[in-house]
Amino acid sequence: MEIVITPDPAAASRQAAAYLAALVRRNPGAVLGLATGSTPVALYRELIRLHREEQLSFSRCTTFNLDEYAGLAPGHPGSYRRFMDEHLFASIDIPASRIHIPDGLAADIPAHCAAYEQAIAGAGGIDAQILGLGSDGHIGFNEPTSSLASRTRIKTLTERTRADNARHFSSAQSVPQHVITMGIGTIMEARAIVLLAFGEKKAATVAAMVEGPVTALVPASVLQMHPVVKVMLDEPAASQLRRREYYRHVFDHKPAWQQW
Ligand code: GLP
């Protein structure tokens, strides 16, 4: 894991966007794995700026989102499809046919999940996966005790996650109980992973993910087993890392030839 401690979320978001932009310029047909939640919003804003002001085109990219609430129509204000349209897709040039988000209204959920896996494989796999971090250590919606080998499937949310996400709904009770999420095994097959986490509220979870044991109780800790992971933090999110001075030292002394 490469731990990058940045002055603030804006700096981390700019760096993450620069990484994605370089990937897309190198490979215009890149396959991007996208995340929802408050954390990547500034990253998406920066991608939109790069599209408008610096001719970054997504017209040949393919995207796969991590997850969606089961039972929500794409137009529902709480749905991740709506979130993505609002925060990214409506403002860039990606064709609708290249956008993939699990269908919250799928009639046959296991078949839909299998088809989602096939679509990822058919696109050649994910080149770069963006991740946020749930306060309980989840990635996508893989809650604690999810199999570290899991594939796209239905999951039941913890009450803590429902409470965390209640702000996107009219009331806590209207947050769906069930979701469709890429599995941890699916996420681990992405060729590169960029995880963003900001704020003191995430500090203990960040420390458990980076410096704790690999355990299904903290699903994000599995990223210790992935060869290409960047963890982009602000200072408060990094505050409980025991070795944070070492991570800074490594980053400051990175050989000039080493790519991001
Ligand atoms: C949701 C999403 C996750 C996201 C998490 C953190 O549960 N399914 O992908 O990482 O929220 O959200 P936030 O970025 O708002 O803290």
Side-chain angles (χ1 to χ4, degrees):
M1 279 178 156
E2 181 178 15
I3 313 301
V4 186
I5 303 172
T6 61
D8 52 43
S13 304
R14 272 197 307 274
Q15 284 188 38
Y19 168 75
L20 288 183
L23 169 68
V24 171
R25 291 196 201 276
R26 222 169 36 240
N27 173 13
V31 180
L32 306 177
L34 301 178
T36 48
S38 316
T39 307
V41 169
L43 157 66
Y44 295 150
R45 211 178 301 127
E46 176 64 5
L47 289 178
I48 293 167
R49 189 194 68 75
L50 290 168
H51 168 65
R52 289 188 178 150
E53 297 175 13
E54 298 186 21
Q55 292 78 48
L56 180 65
S57 174
F58 298 89
S59 61
R60 289 166 56 198
C61 288
T62 300
T63 65
F64 288 92
N65 263 78
L66 287 164
D67 45 18
E68 179 59 284
Y69 291 102
L72 295 196
H76 187 287
S79 79
Y80 282 163
R81 174 65 211 222
R82 174 86 171 259
F83 177 97
M84 289 306 300
D85 285 344
E86 204 173 292
H87 292 283
L88 184 65
F89 297 145
S91 307
I92 60 173
D93 60 345
I94 184 158
S97 59
R98 292 182 169 278
I99 293 170
H100 302 83
I101 300 189
D103 178 0
L105 295 184
D108 181 342
I109 290 181
H112 180 64
C113 293
Y116 203 70
E117 289 279 338
Q118 267 168 23
I120 295 172
I126 292 172
D127 290 306
Q129 175 67 55
I130 302 297
L131 293 178
L133 180 65
S135 59
D136 62 1
H138 71 231
I139 47 178
F141 265 136
N142 294 282
E143 296 284 34
T145 72
S146 286
S147 160
L148 299 183
S150 50
R151 312 303 305 190
T152 304
R153 70 211 181 292
I154 191 165
K155 282 294 290 179
T156 303
L157 294 181
T158 63
E159 285 309 300
R160 180 173 176 186
T161 298
R162 291 183 71 225
D164 282 352
N165 291 353
R167 65 189 189 283
H168 302 292
F169 290 83
S170 53
S171 69
Q173 298 90 295
S174 46
V175 182
Q177 303 268 6
H178 295 109
V179 293
I180 297 171
T181 181
M182 271 188 209
I184 295 177
T186 321
I187 293 169
M188 288 293 280
E189 283 173 9
R191 286 184 272 280
I193 293 181
V194 179
L195 182 143
L196 302 155
F198 305 134
E200 224 225 303
K201 263 179 34 195
K202 300 278 173 83
T205 314
V206 166
M209 164 181 76
V210 175
E211 296 177 337
V214 174
T215 167
L217 282 176
V218 182
S221 65
V222 75
L223 299 176
Q224 293 176 30
M225 309 283 289
H226 192 288
V228 190
V229 178
K230 316 245 175 228
V231 176
M232 313 279 312
L233 306 171
D234 63 357
E235 294 283 348
S239 61
Q240 289 190 34
L241 289 169
R242 276 172 292 162
R243 301 194 172 221
R244 63 181 179 281
E245 294 317 319
Y246 173 63
Y247 308 138
R248 275 192 235 278
H249 176 84
V250 171
F251 189 74
D252 291 346
H253 295 87
K254 206 166 158 170
W257 54 263
Q258 212 174 11
Q259 286 293 307
W260 208 83

